[in-house]
Amino acid sequence: MSDIGWKFMSDGDWILLSKVVWCIFIVGWGIIRYRPNRQARKVKIGKTSRTLKERFSMAISFSGLGIVPAIWVFSGYFEQFNYSVNPVLILIGAVLILVALRLFRITHKALGAMWSHSLDLREDHKLVTKGIYEKVRHPMYSAFWLWALAQAFLLPNLLAGFAGLVGFGTLYFLRVGQEETMMEDEFGEQYRDYSARTKRIIPGIY
Ligand code: SAH
């Protein structure tokens, strides 16, 4: 870090800051999810596609975004995977994680009670294609990708940092095709038209 010249904080301070930002993010994310979770649970699930593969990928994702970084943040484990602190990377991570938080809020507001943490269709499920859903088909997964990327920048530990990309990446690639098939089976032409005019994660690109 000394070659960058940010000497007003020691490496230990920067590591502590990265851990504090991560904790603030997790609490903020929990707060954002609390109400939509309660609201959505009031609406019955009409159909579900929760397969064993889906449960497995949710567990991997939860470990990579939550458990592995939490172990590093709160205990002395994995410290052998720490790398030298670079404040610029930590600050980029902090900014990205705040953007992710904002995007979570926007997507939850747009999806409302149609949200589910797994592959479910609510009774009388409506296809949301407005607001942020006009830009991409999976803005909540965009927010998760941002979270995973932010984690890699923010936490100066190879294991805790990159676990999110591996964990969420596994969930994303195992789930997204299945989710789109489920939506197409339910909404037919309407979903095919919607897919034809939107990308998955990055507006206009991917
Ligand atoms: N893939 C979306 C939603 C994630 S939540 C995103 O990334 O923003 C997962 C649930 O949302 C799925 O079970 C599905 O029922 C529901 N869902 C996904 N896309 C939807 C849409 N455009 N309109 C309504 N519900 C949708």
Side-chain angles (χ1 to χ4, degrees):
M1 183 189 112
S2 47
D3 47 318
I4 294 172
W6 297 30
K7 293 208 179 91
F8 56 94
M9 271 169 74
S10 69
D11 282 13
D13 292 340
W14 281 104
I15 291 178
L16 183 64
L17 179 74
S18 79
K19 291 182 174 183
V20 169
V21 171
W22 185 82
C23 290
I24 292 173
F25 167 76
I26 293 293
V27 171
W29 183 74
I31 293 172
I32 287 174
R33 281 229 149 159
Y34 181 75
R35 274 243 308 266
N37 196 22
R38 281 187 50 163
Q39 264 179 358
R41 279 163 66 168
K42 287 187 196 142
V43 187
K44 282 211 183 93
I45 291 173
K47 282 185 207 157
T48 183
S49 307
R50 292 188 196 197
T51 54
L52 196 63
K53 180 177 95 176
E54 166 67 8
R55 284 170 207 274
F56 162 80
S57 46
M58 274 175 53
I60 299 276
S61 181
F62 182 64
S63 307
L65 292 170
I67 295 174
V68 173
I71 291 173
W72 178 73
V73 165
F74 295 113
S75 79
Y77 285 107
F78 314 146
E79 269 179 9
Q80 64 272 36
F81 298 110
N82 283 6
Y83 56 85
S84 60
V85 165
N86 181 336
V88 176
L89 297 186
I90 292 180
L91 293 176
I92 292 174
V95 171
L96 287 180
I97 218 157
L98 290 178
V99 178
L101 212 53
R102 178 89 188 106
L103 195 52
F104 272 115
R105 174 96 185 103
I106 294 170
T107 54
H108 269 299
K109 272 186 106 169
L111 262 190
M114 300 303 117
W115 174 74
S116 158
H117 64 265
S118 189
L119 290 182
D120 306 319
L121 287 162
R122 304 271 158 198
E123 277 183 354
D124 195 23
H125 201 103
K126 300 270 187 305
L127 182 65
V128 178
T129 59
K130 292 277 167 261
I132 189 85
Y133 283 83
E134 243 172 319
K135 311 255 185 286
V136 280
R137 294 199 290 286
H138 304 288
M140 195 173 286
Y141 299 158
S142 311
F144 272 109
W145 274 119
L146 266 177
W147 168 352
L149 193 66
Q151 183 178 321
F153 277 101
L154 182 68
L155 306 181
N157 176 280
L158 286 175
L159 201 61
F162 285 91
L165 284 170
V166 175
F168 180 69
T170 305
L171 173 83
Y172 175 79
F173 288 110
L174 288 180
R175 180 192 272 186
V176 73
Q178 202 186 342
E179 179 169 331
E180 293 190 340
T181 305
M182 177 184 86
M183 299 305 279
E184 200 177 323
D185 287 349
E186 183 70 12
F187 296 101
E189 204 54 36
Q190 197 190 352
Y191 194 75
R192 278 191 289 277
D193 285 352
Y194 174 52
S195 294
R197 60 175 192 269
T198 49
K199 300 278 181 189
R200 278 178 166 167
I201 298 292
I202 308 170
I205 296 173
Y206 169 69

Coordinates of all heavy atoms in Angstrom, one line a residue, residues 117-205:
H117 N -37.6 -16.1 -3.9 CA -36.1 -16.4 -3.9 C -35.8 -17.6 -4.7 O -34.6 -17.9 -4.8 CB -35.6 -16.4 -2.4 CG -36.1 -17.5 -1.6 ND1 -37.2 -17.4 -0.8 CD2 -35.7 -18.8 -1.6 CE1 -37.4 -18.5 -0.2 NE2 -36.6 -19.4 -0.7
S118 N -36.8 -18.3 -5.1 CA -36.5 -19.5 -5.9 C -37.3 -19.4 -7.2 O -37.9 -18.4 -7.5 CB -36.8 -20.7 -5.1 OG -36.3 -21.9 -5.8
L119 N -37.4 -20.6 -7.9 CA -38.2 -20.6 -9.2 C -39.7 -20.9 -8.9 O -40.1 -22.0 -9.1 CB -37.6 -21.6 -10.1 CG -36.2 -21.2 -10.7 CD1 -35.7 -22.3 -11.7 CD2 -36.3 -19.8 -11.4
D120 N -40.4 -19.9 -8.5 CA -41.8 -20.1 -8.3 C -42.7 -19.1 -9.1 O -42.2 -18.0 -9.4 CB -42.2 -19.8 -6.8 CG -41.3 -20.6 -5.8 OD1 -41.0 -21.7 -6.1 OD2 -40.8 -20.0 -4.8
L121 N -43.9 -19.5 -9.4 CA -44.9 -18.6 -10.0 C -46.0 -18.4 -8.9 O -46.5 -19.4 -8.4 CB -45.4 -19.1 -11.3 CG -44.4 -19.1 -12.5 CD1 -44.8 -20.0 -13.6 CD2 -44.3 -17.7 -13.0
R122 N -46.3 -17.2 -8.6 CA -47.4 -16.9 -7.7 C -48.7 -17.2 -8.3 O -48.9 -17.3 -9.5 CB -47.3 -15.5 -7.2 CG -46.0 -15.0 -6.6 CD -45.9 -15.3 -5.2 NE -44.5 -15.4 -4.8 CZ -44.1 -15.9 -3.6 NH1 -45.0 -16.4 -2.8 NH2 -42.8 -15.9 -3.3
E123 N -49.8 -17.4 -7.5 CA -51.1 -17.5 -8.0 C -51.4 -16.2 -8.8 O -51.1 -15.1 -8.2 CB -52.1 -17.7 -6.9 CG -52.2 -19.2 -6.5 CD -53.2 -19.5 -5.4 OE1 -53.8 -18.5 -4.9 OE2 -53.4 -20.7 -5.1
D124 N -52.0 -16.3 -9.9 CA -52.3 -15.1 -10.7 C -51.0 -14.2 -11.0 O -51.0 -13.0 -10.9 CB -53.4 -14.3 -10.0 CG -54.0 -13.2 -10.9 OD1 -53.9 -13.5 -12.2 OD2 -54.5 -12.2 -10.5
H125 N -50.0 -14.9 -11.3 CA -48.7 -14.2 -11.5 C -48.8 -13.3 -12.8 O -49.3 -13.7 -13.8 CB -47.6 -15.3 -11.8 CG -46.2 -14.8 -11.6 ND1 -45.5 -15.2 -10.4 CD2 -45.4 -14.0 -12.3 CE1 -44.3 -14.6 -10.5 NE2 -44.2 -13.9 -11.6
K126 N -48.3 -12.1 -12.6 CA -48.3 -11.1 -13.7 C -46.8 -11.0 -14.2 O -45.9 -10.9 -13.3 CB -48.7 -9.7 -13.2 CG -50.1 -9.7 -12.6 CD -51.1 -9.5 -13.7 CE -52.5 -9.3 -13.1 NZ -53.1 -10.4 -12.3
L127 N -46.7 -10.8 -15.5 CA -45.3 -10.6 -16.0 C -45.0 -9.1 -15.9 O -45.8 -8.3 -16.4 CB -45.3 -11.0 -17.5 CG -44.0 -10.9 -18.2 CD1 -42.9 -11.8 -17.6 CD2 -44.1 -11.2 -19.7
V128 N -43.9 -8.8 -15.3 CA -43.5 -7.4 -15.1 C -42.5 -7.1 -16.3 O -41.5 -7.7 -16.5 CB -42.8 -7.2 -13.8 CG1 -42.3 -5.7 -13.6 CG2 -43.7 -7.6 -12.6
T129 N -42.9 -6.0 -17.0 CA -42.0 -5.7 -18.2 C -41.7 -4.2 -18.2 O -41.2 -3.6 -19.1 CB -42.7 -6.0 -19.5 OG1 -43.9 -5.3 -19.6 CG2 -42.9 -7.5 -19.7
K130 N -42.1 -3.5 -17.1 CA -42.0 -2.0 -17.0 C -40.9 -1.6 -16.1 O -40.4 -2.5 -15.3 CB -43.3 -1.4 -16.6 CG -44.4 -1.5 -17.6 CD -44.3 -0.5 -18.7 CE -45.2 -0.7 -19.9 NZ -44.6 -1.3 -21.0
G131 N -40.6 -0.4 -16.1 CA -39.5 0.2 -15.2 C -38.2 -0.5 -15.5 O -37.8 -0.6 -16.7
I132 N -37.5 -0.9 -14.5 CA -36.1 -1.5 -14.7 C -36.3 -2.8 -15.6 O -35.3 -3.1 -16.3 CB -35.5 -1.8 -13.4 CG1 -34.0 -2.2 -13.5 CG2 -36.2 -2.9 -12.6 CD1 -33.1 -1.1 -13.6
Y133 N -37.4 -3.4 -15.6 CA -37.6 -4.7 -16.4 C -37.8 -4.4 -17.9 O -37.8 -5.3 -18.7 CB -38.8 -5.5 -15.8 CG -38.3 -6.3 -14.6 CD1 -38.3 -5.6 -13.3 CD2 -37.9 -7.6 -14.7 CE1 -37.9 -6.3 -12.2 CE2 -37.4 -8.2 -13.6 CZ -37.4 -7.6 -12.3 OH -36.9 -8.3 -11.2
E134 N -37.9 -3.1 -18.2 CA -37.9 -2.7 -19.6 C -36.4 -2.7 -20.2 O -36.2 -2.9 -21.3 CB -38.4 -1.3 -19.7 CG -39.7 -1.2 -20.5 CD -40.3 0.2 -20.5 OE1 -40.3 0.8 -19.4 OE2 -40.7 0.6 -21.5
K135 N -35.5 -2.5 -19.3 CA -34.1 -2.4 -19.7 C -33.4 -3.8 -19.8 O -32.7 -4.1 -20.8 CB -33.3 -1.6 -18.6 CG -33.9 -0.3 -18.2 CD -33.1 0.8 -18.9 CE -33.6 2.2 -18.4 NZ -35.0 2.5 -19.0
V136 N -33.7 -4.7 -18.9 CA -33.1 -6.1 -18.9 C -34.2 -7.0 -18.3 O -35.0 -6.6 -17.5 CB -31.8 -6.2 -18.1 CG1 -30.6 -5.8 -18.9 CG2 -31.8 -5.6 -16.8
R137 N -34.0 -8.3 -18.6 CA -35.0 -9.3 -18.1 C -34.6 -9.7 -16.7 O -35.5 -10.2 -16.0 CB -35.0 -10.6 -19.0 CG -35.5 -10.4 -20.4 CD -35.8 -11.7 -21.0 NE -34.7 -12.5 -21.4 CZ -33.9 -12.4 -22.4 NH1 -34.0 -11.3 -23.1 NH2 -32.9 -13.2 -22.6
H138 N -33.4 -9.6 -16.3 CA -33.0 -10.1 -15.0 C -32.2 -9.1 -14.2 O -31.1 -9.3 -13.7 CB -32.1 -11.4 -15.1 CG -32.8 -12.5 -15.9 ND1 -33.9 -13.2 -15.4 CD2 -32.6 -12.9 -17.2 CE1 -34.3 -14.0 -16.3 NE2 -33.6 -13.9 -17.4
P139 N -32.8 -7.9 -13.9 CA -32.1 -6.9 -13.2 C -31.7 -7.2 -11.8 O -30.7 -6.8 -11.2 CB -33.1 -5.7 -13.2 CG -34.4 -6.3 -13.4 CD -34.2 -7.5 -14.2
M140 N -32.5 -8.2 -11.1 CA -32.1 -8.6 -9.8 C -30.8 -9.4 -9.9 O -29.9 -9.3 -9.0 CB -33.2 -9.4 -9.1 CG -33.0 -9.5 -7.6 SD -34.3 -10.2 -6.8 CE -35.5 -8.9 -6.8
Y141 N -30.7 -10.2 -10.9 CA -29.4 -11.0 -11.1 C -28.3 -10.0 -11.5 O -27.1 -10.3 -11.1 CB -29.6 -12.1 -12.2 CG -30.6 -13.1 -11.8 CD1 -31.2 -13.9 -12.7 CD2 -31.0 -13.3 -10.4 CE1 -32.2 -14.9 -12.4 CE2 -32.0 -14.2 -10.1 CZ -32.6 -15.0 -11.0 OH -33.5 -15.9 -10.7
S142 N -28.6 -8.9 -12.2 CA -27.5 -7.9 -12.4 C -27.0 -7.4 -11.1 O -25.8 -7.2 -10.9 CB -28.1 -6.7 -13.2 OG -28.8 -7.1 -14.4
A143 N -28.0 -7.2 -10.1 CA -27.6 -6.7 -8.8 C -26.7 -7.7 -8.1 O -25.8 -7.4 -7.4 CB -28.8 -6.3 -8.0
F144 N -27.1 -9.0 -8.2 CA -26.3 -10.1 -7.6 C -24.9 -10.1 -8.2 O -23.9 -10.3 -7.5 CB -27.0 -11.4 -7.7 CG -27.9 -11.7 -6.6 CD1 -29.3 -11.7 -6.8 CD2 -27.5 -12.0 -5.3 CE1 -30.2 -12.0 -5.8 CE2 -28.3 -12.3 -4.3 CZ -29.7 -12.3 -4.5
W145 N -24.8 -10.0 -9.6 CA -23.5 -10.0 -10.2 C -22.7 -8.8 -9.7 O -21.5 -8.9 -9.4 CB -23.6 -9.9 -11.7 CG -23.8 -11.2 -12.4 CD1 -24.9 -11.6 -13.2 CD2 -22.9 -12.3 -12.5 NE1 -24.7 -12.8 -13.7 CE2 -23.5 -13.3 -13.2 CE3 -21.6 -12.5 -11.9 CZ2 -22.9 -14.6 -13.5 CZ3 -21.0 -13.8 -12.1 CH2 -21.6 -14.8 -12.9
L146 N -23.3 -7.6 -9.5 CA -22.6 -6.5 -9.0 C -22.1 -6.7 -7.6 O -21.0 -6.4 -7.2 CB -23.5 -5.3 -9.0 CG -23.5 -4.3 -10.2 CD1 -24.6 -3.2 -10.0 CD2 -22.1 -3.7 -10.3
W147 N -23.0 -7.4 -6.8 CA -22.6 -7.7 -5.4 C -21.3 -8.6 -5.4 O -20.4 -8.4 -4.7 CB -23.8 -8.4 -4.8 CG -23.5 -9.1 -3.4 CD1 -22.3 -9.4 -2.8 CD2 -24.5 -9.7 -2.6 NE1 -22.5 -10.1 -1.6 CE2 -23.8 -10.3 -1.5 CE3 -25.9 -9.8 -2.7 CZ2 -24.5 -10.9 -0.4 CZ3 -26.6 -10.5 -1.6 CH2 -25.9 -11.0 -0.5
A148 N -21.4 -9.7 -6.3 CA -20.3 -10.6 -6.3 C -19.0 -9.9 -6.8 O -17.9 -10.2 -6.2 CB -20.6 -11.8 -7.3
L149 N -19.1 -9.1 -7.8 CA -18.0 -8.3 -8.3 C -17.4 -7.4 -7.2 O -16.2 -7.3 -7.0 CB -18.4 -7.5 -9.5 CG -17.3 -6.9 -10.4 CD1 -16.5 -8.0 -11.1 CD2 -17.9 -6.0 -11.5
A150 N -18.4 -6.7 -6.6 CA -18.0 -5.7 -5.5 C -17.2 -6.5 -4.4 O -16.2 -6.0 -3.9 CB -19.2 -5.1 -4.9
Q151 N -17.7 -7.7 -4.0 CA -17.1 -8.5 -3.0 C -15.6 -8.8 -3.3 O -14.8 -8.7 -2.5 CB -17.9 -9.8 -2.8 CG -17.5 -10.7 -1.7 CD -18.4 -11.9 -1.6 OE1 -19.6 -11.8 -1.8 NE2 -17.8 -13.1 -1.4
A152 N -15.4 -9.1 -4.6 CA -14.0 -9.4 -5.1 C -13.1 -8.2 -5.0 O -11.9 -8.3 -4.7 CB -14.1 -9.9 -6.5
F153 N -13.7 -7.0 -5.2 CA -12.8 -5.8 -5.1 C -12.7 -5.4 -3.6 O -11.6 -5.0 -3.2 CB -13.5 -4.6 -5.8 CG -13.3 -4.5 -7.3 CD1 -14.2 -5.0 -8.2 CD2 -12.1 -4.0 -7.7 CE1 -14.0 -4.9 -9.6 CE2 -11.8 -3.9 -9.1 CZ -12.8 -4.4 -10.0
L154 N -13.7 -5.6 -2.9 CA -13.8 -5.0 -1.5 C -13.0 -5.8 -0.5 O -12.3 -5.2 0.3 CB -15.3 -5.0 -1.0 CG -15.6 -4.4 0.3 CD1 -15.3 -2.9 0.4 CD2 -17.0 -4.7 0.7
L155 N -13.0 -7.2 -0.5 CA -12.4 -8.0 0.5 C -11.0 -8.4 0.1 O -10.9 -9.2 -0.9 CB -13.3 -9.2 0.8 CG -14.8 -8.9 1.2 CD1 -15.5 -10.2 1.6 CD2 -14.8 -7.9 2.4
P156 N -10.0 -7.9 0.7 CA -8.6 -8.3 0.3 C -8.2 -9.7 0.7 O -7.2 -9.9 1.4 CB -7.7 -7.2 0.9 CG -8.5 -6.7 2.1 CD -9.9 -7.0 1.8
N157 N -9.0 -10.7 0.3 CA -8.7 -12.1 0.7 C -9.2 -12.9 -0.5 O -10.3 -12.7 -0.9 CB -9.5 -12.4 1.9 CG -9.3 -13.9 2.3 OD1 -9.9 -14.8 1.7 ND2 -8.4 -14.2 3.2
L158 N -8.3 -13.7 -1.1 CA -8.6 -14.4 -2.3 C -9.9 -15.3 -2.2 O -10.7 -15.3 -3.0 CB -7.4 -15.3 -2.8 CG -6.3 -14.5 -3.4 CD1 -5.1 -15.4 -3.6 CD2 -6.7 -13.7 -4.6
L159 N -10.0 -16.0 -1.0 CA -11.1 -16.9 -0.9 C -12.4 -16.2 -0.6 O -13.4 -16.4 -1.3 CB -10.8 -17.8 0.3 CG -11.5 -19.1 0.4 CD1 -11.2 -20.0 -0.9 CD2 -11.2 -19.9 1.6
A160 N -12.4 -15.3 0.4 CA -13.6 -14.5 0.7 C -14.0 -13.6 -0.4 O -15.2 -13.5 -0.7 CB -13.4 -13.7 2.0
G161 N -13.1 -13.0 -1.1 CA -13.4 -12.1 -2.2 C -14.0 -12.8 -3.4 O -15.1 -12.4 -3.9
F162 N -13.4 -13.9 -3.8 CA -13.8 -14.5 -5.1 C -14.9 -15.6 -4.9 O -15.5 -16.0 -5.9 CB -12.6 -15.1 -5.9 CG -11.8 -14.0 -6.5 CD1 -10.8 -13.4 -5.9 CD2 -12.2 -13.5 -7.8 CE1 -10.1 -12.3 -6.4 CE2 -11.5 -12.4 -8.3 CZ -10.4 -11.8 -7.7
A163 N -15.2 -15.9 -3.7 CA -16.3 -16.9 -3.4 C -17.6 -16.5 -4.0 O -18.4 -17.3 -4.5 CB -16.4 -17.2 -1.9
G164 N -17.9 -15.2 -4.0 CA -19.2 -14.7 -4.4 C -19.3 -14.9 -5.9 O -20.4 -15.3 -6.4
L165 N -18.3 -14.6 -6.7 CA -18.4 -14.8 -8.2 C -18.6 -16.3 -8.5 O -19.4 -16.6 -9.4 CB -17.1 -14.3 -8.8 CG -17.0 -12.7 -8.9 CD1 -15.6 -12.3 -9.4 CD2 -18.1 -12.2 -9.9
V166 N -17.9 -17.2 -7.8 CA -18.0 -18.6 -8.1 C -19.4 -19.1 -7.6 O -20.1 -19.7 -8.4 CB -16.9 -19.4 -7.3 CG1 -17.2 -20.9 -7.4 CG2 -15.5 -19.0 -7.8
G167 N -19.8 -18.6 -6.4 CA -21.1 -19.1 -5.9 C -22.3 -18.5 -6.7 O -23.1 -19.3 -7.1
F168 N -22.3 -17.2 -6.9 CA -23.5 -16.7 -7.7 C -23.4 -17.1 -9.1 O -24.4 -17.4 -9.7 CB -23.6 -15.2 -7.5 CG -24.8 -14.7 -8.3 CD1 -26.1 -15.1 -7.9 CD2 -24.7 -14.0 -9.5 CE1 -27.2 -14.7 -8.6 CE2 -25.8 -13.7 -10.3 CZ -27.1 -14.0 -9.8
G169 N -22.2 -17.2 -9.7 CA -22.0 -17.6 -11.0 C -22.6 -19.0 -11.2 O -23.3 -19.3 -12.2
T170 N -22.4 -19.9 -10.3 CA -23.0 -21.3 -10.4 C -24.5 -21.2 -10.4 O -25.2 -21.8 -11.2 CB -22.5 -22.1 -9.1 OG1 -21.1 -22.1 -9.1 CG2 -23.0 -23.5 -9.2
L171 N -25.1 -20.4 -9.5 CA -26.5 -20.3 -9.4 C -27.1 -19.7 -10.7 O -28.0 -20.2 -11.3 CB -27.0 -19.4 -8.2 CG -28.5 -19.1 -8.2 CD1 -29.2 -20.2 -7.6 CD2 -28.8 -17.8 -7.5
Y172 N -26.4 -18.6 -11.2 CA -26.9 -17.9 -12.3 C -27.0 -18.9 -13.5 O -28.0 -19.0 -14.2 CB -26.1 -16.7 -12.6 CG -26.5 -16.0 -13.9 CD1 -27.6 -15.2 -13.9 CD2 -25.8 -16.3 -15.1 CE1 -28.0 -14.6 -15.1 CE2 -26.2 -15.7 -16.3 CZ -27.3 -14.8 -16.3 OH -27.7 -14.3 -17.5
F173 N -25.8 -19.5 -13.8 CA -25.8 -20.3 -15.1 C -26.6 -21.6 -15.0 O -27.1 -22.1 -16.0 CB -24.3 -20.6 -15.5 CG -23.6 -19.4 -16.0 CD1 -22.6 -18.8 -15.2 CD2 -24.0 -18.8 -17.2 CE1 -22.0 -17.6 -15.7 CE2 -23.4 -17.6 -17.6 CZ -22.4 -17.1 -16.9
L174 N -26.8 -22.1 -13.7 CA -27.7 -23.3 -13.6 C -29.2 -22.8 -13.7 O -30.1 -23.6 -14.0 CB -27.4 -24.0 -12.3 CG -26.1 -24.8 -12.3 CD1 -26.0 -25.5 -10.9 CD2 -26.0 -25.8 -13.4
R175 N -29.5 -21.6 -13.3 CA -30.9 -21.2 -13.1 C -31.5 -20.4 -14.3 O -32.7 -20.6 -14.6 CB -31.0 -20.3 -11.9 CG -32.5 -19.9 -11.7 CD -32.6 -18.8 -10.6 NE -32.8 -19.4 -9.3 CZ -33.0 -18.6 -8.2 NH1 -33.2 -17.3 -8.3 NH2 -33.2 -19.2 -7.0
V176 N -30.7 -19.6 -14.9 CA -31.4 -18.6 -15.8 C -32.1 -19.2 -17.0 O -33.2 -18.8 -17.3 CB -30.3 -17.5 -16.2 CG1 -29.4 -18.0 -17.3 CG2 -31.1 -16.3 -16.8
G177 N -31.6 -20.3 -17.6 CA -32.2 -20.9 -18.7 C -33.5 -21.6 -18.2 O -34.6 -21.5 -18.8
Q178 N -33.5 -22.2 -17.0 CA -34.6 -22.9 -16.5 C -35.7 -21.8 -16.1 O -36.9 -22.1 -16.4 CB -34.2 -23.6 -15.2 CG -35.1 -24.7 -14.8 CD -34.7 -25.3 -13.4 OE1 -33.6 -25.1 -12.9 NE2 -35.7 -26.0 -12.8
E179 N -35.3 -20.7 -15.6 CA -36.3 -19.6 -15.3 C -37.0 -19.1 -16.5 O -38.2 -18.9 -16.6 CB -35.6 -18.5 -14.6 CG -36.5 -17.3 -14.2 CD -35.9 -16.3 -13.3 OE1 -35.0 -16.7 -12.5 OE2 -36.2 -15.1 -13.3
E180 N -36.2 -18.9 -17.6 CA -36.8 -18.4 -18.8 C -37.7 -19.4 -19.5 O -38.8 -19.1 -20.0 CB -35.7 -18.0 -19.8 CG -34.9 -16.8 -19.2 CD -34.0 -16.1 -20.2 OE1 -33.6 -16.7 -21.2 OE2 -33.6 -14.9 -20.0
T181 N -37.4 -20.7 -19.3 CA -38.3 -21.8 -19.9 C -39.6 -21.7 -19.1 O -40.7 -21.8 -19.6 CB -37.6 -23.1 -19.7 OG1 -36.4 -23.1 -20.4 CG2 -38.5 -24.2 -20.3
M182 N -39.5 -21.6 -17.7 CA -40.7 -21.6 -16.9 C -41.5 -20.4 -17.2 O -42.8 -20.5 -17.4 CB -40.2 -21.4 -15.4 CG -41.3 -21.3 -14.4 SD -40.7 -21.0 -12.7 CE -40.5 -19.3 -12.7
M183 N -40.9 -19.2 -17.5 CA -41.7 -18.0 -17.8 C -42.3 -18.1 -19.2 O -43.5 -17.7 -19.4 CB -40.8 -16.7 -17.8 CG -40.1 -16.4 -16.5 SD -41.3 -16.2 -15.1 CE -41.9 -14.6 -15.3
E184 N -41.6 -18.8 -20.1 CA -42.2 -18.9 -21.5 C -43.3 -19.9 -21.4 O -44.3 -19.7 -22.1 CB -41.0 -19.4 -22.4 CG -41.4 -19.2 -23.8 CD -40.2 -19.6 -24.8 OE1 -39.1 -19.4 -24.4 OE2 -40.6 -20.1 -25.9
D185 N -43.2 -21.0 -20.6 CA -44.3 -21.9 -20.5 C -45.5 -21.3 -20.0 O -46.7 -21.6 -20.4 CB -43.9 -23.1 -19.6 CG -42.9 -24.0 -20.2 OD1 -42.7 -23.9 -21.4 OD2 -42.4 -24.9 -19.4
E186 N -45.3 -20.3 -19.0 CA -46.5 -19.6 -18.4 C -47.0 -18.5 -19.3 O -48.2 -18.4 -19.4 CB -46.0 -19.1 -17.0 CG -47.1 -18.4 -16.2 CD -48.1 -19.4 -15.6 OE1 -47.8 -20.6 -15.7 OE2 -49.1 -18.9 -15.2
F187 N -46.2 -17.7 -19.9 CA -46.6 -16.5 -20.5 C -46.6 -16.6 -22.1 O -47.0 -15.6 -22.7 CB -45.9 -15.3 -20.0 CG -46.1 -15.0 -18.6 CD1 -45.2 -15.4 -17.6 CD2 -47.3 -14.4 -18.1 CE1 -45.4 -15.1 -16.3 CE2 -47.5 -14.2 -16.8 CZ -46.6 -14.5 -15.8
G188 N -46.0 -17.6 -22.6 CA -46.0 -17.9 -24.1 C -45.5 -16.7 -24.9 O -44.4 -16.2 -24.6
E189 N -46.3 -16.3 -25.8 CA -46.0 -15.2 -26.8 C -45.5 -14.0 -26.1 O -44.6 -13.3 -26.5 CB -47.2 -15.0 -27.6 CG -47.0 -14.3 -29.0 CD -46.0 -15.1 -29.8 OE1 -46.0 -16.4 -29.8 OE2 -45.2 -14.5 -30.5
Q190 N -46.2 -13.6 -25.0 CA -45.9 -12.4 -24.3 C -44.5 -12.4 -23.8 O -43.8 -11.4 -23.9 CB -46.9 -12.3 -23.1 CG -47.0 -10.9 -22.5 CD -47.7 -10.9 -21.1 OE1 -48.3 -11.9 -20.7 NE2 -47.7 -9.8 -20.5
Y191 N -44.0 -13.6 -23.3 CA -42.6 -13.7 -22.8 C -41.6 -13.7 -24.0 O -40.6 -13.1 -23.9 CB -42.4 -14.9 -21.9 CG -41.1 -14.8 -21.1 CD1 -41.0 -13.9 -20.0 CD2 -40.0 -15.5 -21.5 CE1 -39.8 -13.7 -19.3 CE2 -38.8 -15.4 -20.8 CZ -38.7 -14.5 -19.7 OH -37.5 -14.4 -19.0
R192 N -42.0 -14.4 -25.1 CA -41.1 -14.4 -26.2 C -40.9 -13.0 -26.8 O -39.8 -12.6 -27.1 CB -41.7 -15.4 -27.3 CG -41.4 -16.8 -27.0 CD -41.7 -17.8 -28.2 NE -43.1 -17.9 -28.4 CZ -43.9 -18.8 -27.7 NH1 -43.3 -19.6 -26.8 NH2 -45.2 -18.9 -27.9
D193 N -42.0 -12.2 -26.9 CA -41.9 -10.9 -27.4 C -41.0 -10.1 -26.4 O -40.1 -9.3 -26.9 CB -43.3 -10.2 -27.4 CG -44.1 -10.7 -28.6 OD1 -43.6 -11.4 -29.4 OD2 -45.3 -10.3 -28.6
Y194 N -41.2 -10.2 -25.1 CA -40.5 -9.5 -24.1 C -39.0 -9.9 -24.3 O -38.1 -9.0 -24.3 CB -41.0 -9.9 -22.8 CG -40.2 -9.3 -21.6 CD1 -39.9 -8.0 -21.5 CD2 -39.8 -10.2 -20.6 CE1 -39.2 -7.5 -20.4 CE2 -39.1 -9.7 -19.5 CZ -38.8 -8.3 -19.4 OH -38.1 -7.8 -18.3
S195 N -38.7 -11.2 -24.5 CA -37.3 -11.6 -24.6 C -36.6 -11.0 -25.8 O -35.5 -10.7 -25.8 CB -37.2 -13.1 -24.7 OG -37.6 -13.7 -23.5
A196 N -37.5 -10.9 -26.9 CA -36.9 -10.4 -28.2 C -36.5 -9.0 -28.1 O -35.6 -8.6 -28.8 CB -37.9 -10.6 -29.3
R197 N -37.1 -8.2 -27.2 CA -36.7 -6.8 -27.1 C -35.8 -6.5 -25.9 O -35.5 -5.3 -25.7 CB -38.0 -5.9 -27.1 CG -38.9 -6.1 -26.0 CD -40.1 -5.1 -26.1 NE -40.8 -5.2 -24.8 CZ -41.9 -5.9 -24.6 NH1 -42.4 -6.7 -25.6 NH2 -42.5 -5.9 -23.5
T198 N -35.4 -7.5 -25.1 CA -34.6 -7.2 -23.9 C -33.4 -8.1 -23.9 O -33.4 -9.2 -24.4 CB -35.3 -7.4 -22.6 OG1 -36.0 -8.6 -22.7 CG2 -36.3 -6.3 -22.3
K199 N -32.3 -7.7 -23.2 CA -31.2 -8.6 -22.9 C -31.3 -9.1 -21.5 O -32.2 -8.7 -20.8 CB -29.9 -7.8 -23.0 CG -29.6 -7.2 -24.4 CD -29.1 -8.2 -25.4 CE -28.8 -7.5 -26.7 NZ -28.4 -8.5 -27.8
R200 N -30.4 -10.0 -21.1 CA -30.6 -10.6 -19.8 C -30.1 -9.7 -18.6 O -30.9 -9.5 -17.7 CB -29.8 -11.9 -19.7 CG -30.5 -13.1 -20.3 CD -29.7 -14.4 -20.3 NE -30.5 -15.5 -20.6 CZ -30.0 -16.7 -20.8 NH1 -28.7 -16.9 -20.8 NH2 -30.8 -17.8 -21.0
I201 N -28.9 -9.3 -18.7 CA -28.2 -8.7 -17.5 C -27.8 -7.3 -17.7 O -27.9 -6.4 -16.9 CB -27.0 -9.6 -17.2 CG1 -27.4 -11.0 -16.8 CG2 -26.2 -8.9 -16.0 CD1 -28.2 -11.1 -15.5
I202 N -27.1 -7.0 -18.9 CA -26.6 -5.7 -19.2 C -27.4 -5.1 -20.4 O -27.4 -5.7 -21.4 CB -25.1 -5.8 -19.6 CG1 -24.3 -6.6 -18.5 CG2 -24.5 -4.4 -19.7 CD1 -22.9 -6.9 -19.0
P203 N -28.0 -3.9 -20.1 CA -28.8 -3.3 -21.2 C -28.1 -3.2 -22.5 O -27.0 -2.7 -22.6 CB -29.2 -1.9 -20.6 CG -29.0 -2.0 -19.2 CD -27.9 -3.1 -18.9
G204 N -28.7 -3.8 -23.5 CA -28.2 -3.7 -24.9 C -27.0 -4.5 -25.2 O -26.5 -4.6 -26.4
I205 N -26.4 -5.2 -24.2 CA -25.2 -5.9 -24.4 C -25.3 -7.4 -24.2 O -25.0 -8.3 -25.1 CB -24.0 -5.3 -23.6 CG1 -23.8 -3.9 -24.0 CG2 -22.7 -6.2 -23.7 CD1 -22.8 -3.1 -23.2

